Amino acid sequence: ILAIGVLGIIQGQSGATRVTLRSEMMAQALGLAEQKMTEIEIDLRTKDFVGLKDEESGEFKDESLKAFKWTRKLTRVDTGCFLPKSLSQQQEGEAPNPAAAFMGLVEKVFESSVRKIWISVERTEGGKKRNVELAQLYINFRAVPN
């Protein structure tokens, strides 16, 4: 009975150790994803969206982080969820509609100055890929007309 009890305790400790190590790796991946997000935000303060690739990936420079790989994507924001097409497009032959003109301007601002930034940090662990993903909208205020 004592042997069965001790075996159960050892297995429980082994499982707890694995879970702890996995959560530490996921926390480290989250920190690295936040670091990459900050780096791209700093880049975007000096560059325009045109100066950056839509997608990039790579490894971290630090030797202790070679197990982690990152991917960054910049995508245009679909304005359909913000601007109904019926308001932003004026039909041919209709009288000028101030709402359509305003919404058309807002749509152009979204196209030129708003992007979704998506960062993924991945690590292969025991043959399984584990990843953390972050996404946010970024507004380039320099591209917004006054």
Side-chain angles (χ1 to χ4, degrees):
I1 294 175
L2 181 61
I4 293 173
V6 170
L7 183 62
I9 291 171
I10 291 172
Q11 285 180 338
Q13 288 293 350
S14 173
T17 302
R18 274 194 311 274
V19 168
T20 301
L21 289 174
R22 184 176 301 141
S23 66
E24 285 177 359
M25 289 299 169
M26 294 304 283
Q28 189 172 20
L30 179 60
L32 292 170
E34 289 173 345
Q35 175 186 337
K36 274 292 168 195
M37 187 67 77
T38 302
E39 287 175 10
I40 189 68
E41 287 173 3
I42 291 169
D43 267 357
L44 286 172
R45 288 183 184 167
T46 59
K47 297 178 183 175
D48 199 3
F49 294 126
V50 178
L52 293 172
K53 296 178 184 175
D54 288 341
E55 186 172 341
E56 280 186 306
S57 59
E59 297 177 350
F60 294 94
K61 295 175 185 172
D62 190 338
E63 192 64 36
S64 64
L65 302 174
K66 289 296 181 188
F68 294 95
K69 298 185 181 340
W70 59 269
T71 303
R72 186 227 2 110
K73 294 180 185 177
L74 278 178
T75 57
R76 292 183 185 271
V77 176
D78 179 19
T79 58
C81 62
F82 300 107
L83 305 171
K85 286 293 183 192
S86 61
L87 290 179
S88 64
Q89 293 178 344
Q90 186 171 328
Q91 300 299 322
E92 195 173 315
E94 283 185 349
N97 181 350
F102 176 75
M103 291 300 176
L105 176 64
V106 170
E107 191 171 9
K108 286 179 185 176
V109 167
F110 264 82
E111 278 187 23
S112 66
S113 60
V114 179
R115 293 291 185 277
K116 178 181 176 184
I117 304 171
W118 176 84
I119 304 282
S120 175
V121 174
E122 177 181 283
R123 180 176 195 273
T124 303
E125 180 181 313
K128 293 183 180 179
K129 290 186 178 183
R130 309 254 186 220
N131 70 333
V132 171
E133 297 178 358
L134 294 178
Q136 75 174 18
L137 291 179
Y138 182 86
I139 302 171
N140 182 357
F141 286 103
R142 291 179 296 126
V144 176
N146 292 333

